[in-house]
Amino acid sequence: MSNSRKFFESLTGAGKSIAVLTSGGDAQGMNAAVRAVVRMGIYVGAKVYFIHEGYQGMVDGGDNIQEANWESVSSMLQVGGTVIGSARCAEFRAREGRLRAACHLVQRGITNLCVIGGDGSLTGANLFREEWSGLLQELVQSGRIDERSAECNSVLHIVGMVGSIDNDFCGTDMTIGTDSALHRIIEVVDAIMTTAQSHQRTFVLEVMGRHCGYLALVSALACGADWVFIPEMPPTDGWEEQMCQKLSENRADKKRLNIIIVAEGAINSSNKPISAGYIKDLVVRCLGLDTRVTILGHVQRGGTPSAFDRILASRMGVEAVLALLEACPGTPACVVSLCGNQAVRLPLMECVQMTQEVQKAMDEKRFDDAVRLRGRSFENNLNTYKLLSHRKADAELPHGPFTVAVLNVGAPAAGMNAAVRSAVRVGITEGHRMMAVHDGFEGFAKGQIKEMGWGDVGGWTGQGGSLLGTKRTLPAKHIDKIAEQMRIHGINALLVIGGFEAYLGLQELLAARGSHDPLCVPMVMVPSTVSNNIPGSDLSIGADTALNAITGTCDRIKQSASGTKRRVFIIETMGGYCGYLASVGGLAAGADAAYIYEEPFDIRDLQSNVEHLREKMKTTIQRGLILRNENSSENYTTDFIYQLYSEEGKGVFDCRKNVLGHMQQGGAPSPFDRNFGTKIAAKAVQWLSKRLKDFYREGRVFANTDDSACLLGMRRRALVFQPVTQLKEETDFVHRIPKEQWWLKLRPLMKILAKYKTSYDITDSGQLEHVTRPRARDTEIAITI
């Protein structure tokens, strides 16, 4: 790829018609994808059509195929399911059905199709594309269309987006709807935990996933379940006895509840189903424990989409339109997918083929192959679950010479506790003595340090805030006392989980190594802050929970005005000088503008935004949403912007303002943050174990190289360890933000979807990649949960 920047203004949709349909099972976030396709399509000058009721609507034609306008997708971002409807369609499977569908598309000049559905829906779309020219010939011969129509519509372009709560499609780390389904499951698990603890109960939860255990596996990881059953990893023979033994050991350890999660498609090693009822009867018969079964069913498909799914679907919808605009006659049907933190295009049939290979491997009992084919994200979740769930007897554990300390620094963030739990348990498994430091560097200096055992961190994953306690205090002024405490407790390595203060703190510890020998140990930082402002990492633990809090509040605020006159809401978000929450929250909540420090604005911008909203509000659109990051401008305060909009909106709309404040930090962590925290902390401790061995000489650990103090961060598609000294160059220390921030590229999407003319850099787009075959040993971590 050349270094020259590529902008989408060079692409035009003039004269093109795009149709969007949702097919197969519904999934939360589908509406966000439909909205993005419609608005992006109209934005580039194309005609956009809804096809109602999926392929059935295409076969039936008539009113099922309707032209969409800008306002037809207003207020659908936060709605679950699919508002344009979905249906199973037997007729489309027959050639006669596809012939009728082709006729209906040609009559409207539609040759670009955006299909949102599962692998069956996408395979059907590809067959339709391959048959297209034959179908047109047949229609001409039967006189249903003329030669000219066939000529003008000779090529059908297909772009797919995967909407499926099961996350069972190969080639993408995450499908639309999966994160929201996890939210529903975790809400139920959190609720069940309180009642189960009250009565010392065992709960067996059945979650969806007929052929794929992703939901079961990730929810088990996110709630610390005692046992999980998934189709890709049937339990070994004799599992009944092992499971019952584990449950009774947990009860003996004073654990008041047990949770067993079972995927609806769970099987044993002979490919025979394992049902929730069978597991319950087994536990009652063998252990006599009070046991209940909860089958979640369609609850998992329901409800409002999570922030993650709205952003994912919006990004994918825009990318799908770009892919259709760039398609030429030889372009294969592609699917827009997510790899790490990047949207990529992959050949649809390569993905479908690999998805089918997973089922084939399972049918042939090649379960290791099935896990590997599912992709690195799935494999990693499974390995992490195994690492954390099976407690070995003390006699079986290795006992190494090392002591590792864990501490939280900075403001509390949801997911910190999941990271601490993971670190402590992985450390114990690796043979280390694990110490927890309370109240950050301040507590460190005071000697508030105690050893943590396996059971001490039980039930931590779902707890918000920081159970260890956390302070913003930096270590420099306490450095002598901290070094002394490290010597007293024999601490050989440090894991710091926190925000910008943790990053600064690590720099200070590093600077003091020359005068304090006890600080010459391996150190690693895991970023955890709602502000998501840490250099060297695209994402921080806690930011996803904050985004969900913002998005949920914006939904409720917008709803509060339904039925009243037109209204604009001015909402202030947290983040210091970092505009991540305002920008990405704005994209998820459908904001009209988001004011941030990184993108300076003046009175002319404010004026044009107000005028833009006035014009919008003269149509059928009734709600406006403006987000402002707390430190976006010293003078254009939230009050100033509120007063400006109130004055200028007179006669058209009225205004309300809301400062979200600390509610953005609070609450139970989202599934994403629980899993991100769990996986990233496990990787950090494994890195420390390796470095401890590397720096162990003559009975002591001595590390004073730059690469012995690292930050573990998400960079585009992978998790990477980066020496904190190298990250100094990337940091704006005055404003406590990275000099370059990836999410600024998402801001044009918000503007486009809010009907602003803007410039959008698509340098990273347009590259059709191939599905990568998993290697036998692929240790790379996929960050998407």
Side-chain angles (χ1 to χ4, degrees):
M1 195 195 301
S2 70
N3 290 328
S4 60
R5 284 253 178 275
K6 180 179 166 197
F7 292 91
F8 87 122
E9 288 81 348
S10 56
L11 299 171
T12 175
K16 295 188 177 182
S17 292
I18 298 170
V20 58
L21 70 124
T22 52
S23 175
D26 62 307
Q28 309 96 318
M30 278 182 165
N31 291 324
V34 170
R35 171 181 176 267
V37 170
V38 168
R39 291 198 165 170
M40 185 66 173
I42 292 170
Y43 187 90
V44 295
K47 268 188 169 184
V48 186
Y49 291 86
F50 290 138
I51 299 178
H52 292 276
E53 310 307 329
Y55 287 120
Q56 191 66 54
M58 204 194 294
V59 172
D60 294 343
D63 288 343
N64 289 304
I65 305 175
Q66 281 180 339
E67 190 173 350
N69 62 32
W70 194 270
E71 291 146 52
S72 26
V73 290
S74 182
S75 299
M76 69 193 275
L77 187 60
Q78 64 269 32
V79 180
T82 163
V83 297
I84 59 172
S86 179
R88 309 276 179 196
C89 178
E91 287 170 87
F92 190 75
R93 291 191 185 134
R95 187 175 170 89
E96 180 51 40
R98 295 193 290 275
L99 202 61
R100 284 168 59 196
C103 184
H104 294 138
L105 293 188
V106 169
Q107 283 165 359
R108 292 164 179 82
I110 298 168
T111 54
N112 294 284
L113 209 51
C114 185
V115 181
I116 307 163
D119 61 342
S121 307
L122 298 179
T123 307
N126 190 61
L127 174 64
F128 192 39
R129 185 189 71 94
E130 285 173 350
E131 289 182 345
W132 184 255
S133 56
L135 293 171
L136 294 198
Q137 275 175 359
E138 210 172 311
L139 289 169
V140 170
Q141 282 159 9
S142 62
R144 284 150 84 179
I145 63 170
D146 57 31
E147 287 277 4
R148 181 163 160 64
S149 296
E151 217 172 286
C152 295
N153 301 287
S154 60
V155 181
L156 179 68
H157 297 298
I158 302 275
V159 172
M161 283 182 267
V162 192
S164 159
I165 66 166
D166 292 340
N167 202 27
D168 57 355
F169 193 80
C170 292
T172 184
D173 286 349
M174 211 59 165
T175 57
I176 296 167
T178 306
D179 186 67
S180 300
L182 286 170
H183 273 257
R184 297 300 91 79
I185 295 168
I186 293 305
E187 282 160 16
V188 171
V189 173
D190 286 352
I192 276 175
M193 277 181 155
T194 54
T195 175
Q197 280 180 320
S198 306
H199 297 277
Q200 286 206 13
R201 278 196 179 130
T202 296
F203 267 88
V204 182
L205 254 77
E206 184 190 286
V207 302
M208 278 185 168
R210 205 169 313 136
H211 305 295
C212 178
Y214 187 89
L215 289 177
L217 175 58
V218 173
S219 49
L221 199 51
C223 73
D226 297 275
W227 205 273
V228 66
F229 293 91
I230 59 171
E232 294 87 348
M233 185 192 67
T236 49
D237 293 342
W239 64 267
E240 292 94 338
E241 199 180 308
Q242 288 173 333
M243 185 185 78
C244 289
Q245 189 183 342
K246 184 175 181 190
L247 296 180
S248 61
E249 279 170 10
N250 282 346
R251 281 294 161 94
D253 278 352
K254 305 283 190 295
K255 190 175 177 188
R256 292 183 63 85
L257 84 153
N258 299 110
I259 288 195
I260 298 162
I261 294 183
V262 51
E264 61 181 336
I267 49 173
N268 64 18
S269 51
S270 307
N271 280 11
K272 297 280 184 295
I274 297 174
S275 72
Y278 176 77
I279 295 165
K280 177 202 164 175
D281 294 344
L282 176 73
V283 174
V284 172
R285 190 174 70 246
C286 296
L287 300 174
L289 298 178
D290 187 0
T291 307
R292 298 282 189 277
V293 171
T294 300
I295 296 172
L296 268 64
H298 280 71
V299 163
Q300 296 156 88
R301 284 197 192 281
T304 187
S306 66
F308 184 98
D309 272 329
R310 298 181 198 196
I311 295 154
L312 174 68
S314 300
R315 286 175 76 178
M316 283 184 168
V318 168
E319 185 70 24
V321 171
L322 292 176
L324 287 170
L325 294 183
E326 290 178 354
C328 51
T331 309
C334 78
V335 63
V336 178
S337 67
L338 183 80
C339 182
N341 196 22
Q342 256 191 311
V344 293
R345 298 177 199 170
L346 299 166
L348 191 151
M349 288 320 289
E350 284 186 22
C351 298
V352 168
Q353 199 180 345
M354 198 149 140
T355 304
Q356 289 166 350
E357 277 180 41
V358 178
Q359 193 54 50
K360 188 166 180 270
M362 279 156 63
D363 294 342
E364 293 171 3
K365 301 185 185 177
R366 293 182 288 111
F367 296 109
D368 286 348
D369 288 348
V371 167
R372 213 162 45 244
L373 286 162
R374 278 269 181 247
R376 54 187 195 155
S377 175
F378 188 94
E379 196 173 2
N380 242 301
N381 283 314
L382 187 54
N383 291 339
T384 310
Y385 178 78
K386 285 178 183 171
L387 200 61
L388 291 167
S389 63
H390 299 299
R391 179 181 181 178
K392 292 180 181 172
D394 285 349
E396 292 174 46
L397 286 170
H399 285 287
F402 305 123
T403 300
V404 178
V406 184
L407 67 157
N408 293 159
V409 177
M416 273 182 166
N417 298 321
V420 173
R421 168 188 177 267
S422 173
V424 167
R425 290 195 169 176
V426 173
I428 290 169
T429 306
E430 303 256 309
H432 308 318
R433 188 162 165 252
M434 297 302 293
M435 309 294 275
V437 180
H438 292 266
D439 294 341
F441 288 119
E442 201 172 299
F444 211 150
K446 292 176 184 169
Q448 292 170 244
I449 301 163
K450 71 167 196 170
E451 188 169 351
M452 295 289 264
W454 189 277
D456 295 331
V457 289
W460 278 34
T461 46
Q463 304 276 333
S466 164
L467 291 169
L468 287 185
T470 180
K471 290 265 192 339
R472 292 181 182 272
T473 315
L474 291 173
K477 57 183 175 186
H478 303 292
I479 210 81
D480 296 342
K481 288 179 180 169
I482 290 171
E484 179 62 11
Q485 290 298 334
M486 287 185 71
R487 191 188 59 74
I488 291 167
H489 291 91
I491 293 166
N492 310 112
L494 273 187
L495 168 60
V496 185
I497 300 163
F500 207 85
E501 287 86 1
Y503 172 67
L504 293 174
L506 217 55
Q507 305 271 14
E508 290 183 2
L509 293 178
L510 214 55
R513 272 178 169 178
S515 51
H516 296 82
D517 259 14
L519 300 178
C520 296
V521 297
M523 303 176 188
V524 65
M525 175 190 162
V526 166
S528 178
T529 165
V530 299
S531 304
N532 197 29
N533 62 335
I534 307 300
S537 191
D538 290 356
L539 297 170
S540 300
I541 301 165
D544 183 71
T545 304
L547 277 180
N548 278 293
I550 292 166
T551 308
T553 308
C554 288
D555 288 351
R556 284 195 286 278
I557 286 171
K558 284 203 288 196
Q559 204 173 25
S560 73
S562 66
T564 66
K565 56 186 177 174
R566 291 177 168 77
R567 185 163 284 170
V568 172
F569 295 96
I570 316 290
I571 294 173
E572 184 186 297
T573 62
M574 273 182 157
Y577 284 96
C578 179
Y580 176 81
L581 291 179
S583 298
V584 183
L587 183 58
D592 293 274
Y595 300 118
I596 62 167
Y597 163 76
E598 292 91 339
E599 203 171 274
F601 56 98
D602 58 24
I603 196 69
R604 285 174 293 281
D605 298 310
L606 290 168
Q607 188 182 352
S608 88
N609 293 158
V610 173
E611 284 167 7
H612 188 82
L613 259 181
R614 276 178 67 98
E615 290 312 303
K616 246 194 195 171
M617 292 284 187
K618 287 174 184 171
T619 67
T620 57
I621 290 172
Q622 292 190 301
R623 304 284 158 266
L625 185 65
I626 305 292
L627 267 56
R628 178 189 173 274
N629 165 254
E630 58 185 353
N631 287 352
S632 54
S633 166
E634 208 177 326
N635 295 311
Y636 298 136
T637 61
T638 303
D639 281 339
F640 176 90
I641 291 171
Y642 163 68
Q643 285 161 357
L644 176 75
Y645 275 79
S646 297
E647 184 61 34
E648 298 297 320
K650 274 182 182 167
V652 181
F653 59 79
D654 67 358
C655 266
R656 294 288 184 275
K657 68 170 177 176
N658 205 305
V659 176
L660 297 184
H662 279 73
M663 59 146 276
Q664 293 160 81
Q665 277 183 345
S670 67
F672 184 96
D673 279 330
R674 295 181 194 203
N675 278 44
F676 185 26
T678 299
K679 289 201 285 193
I680 198 170
K683 192 171 171 76
V685 171
Q686 288 171 324
W687 179 85
L688 283 176
S689 296
K690 186 177 179 304
R691 304 308 278 159
L692 281 164
K693 291 189 186 94
D694 294 345
F695 292 113
Y696 189 60
R697 295 277 181 281
E698 296 165 15
R700 63 168 289 202
V701 173
F702 187 82
N704 66 351
T705 55
D706 282 354
D707 66 356
S708 64
C710 282
L711 179 140
L712 174 55
M714 169 68 180
R715 280 281 169 98
R716 287 166 80 87
R717 298 193 189 186
L719 276 173
V720 282
F721 290 94
Q722 304 142 99
V724 288
T725 49
Q726 284 178 18
L727 293 173
K728 278 184 179 176
E729 294 301 308
E730 299 178 26
T731 311
D732 171 352
F733 284 100
V734 175
H735 298 101
R736 300 160 68 96
I737 51 174
K739 286 178 183 171
E740 281 190 27
Q741 306 193 78
W742 69 273
W743 51 264
L744 285 167
K745 281 187 178 173
L746 297 182
R747 280 182 64 79
L749 298 193
M750 185 189 71
K751 291 176 184 173
I752 288 165
L753 298 176
K755 216 174 183 176
Y756 283 96
K757 288 289 171 210
T758 188
S759 198
Y760 179 38
D761 178 3
I762 54 165
T763 315
D764 283 348
S765 298
Q767 302 292 310
L768 189 68
E769 302 184 10
H770 289 282
V771 177
T772 48
R773 292 271 158 197
R775 300 189 297 277
R777 282 278 167 265
D778 190 351
T779 54
E780 194 53 71
I781 284 196
I783 209 59
T784 329
I785 54 168

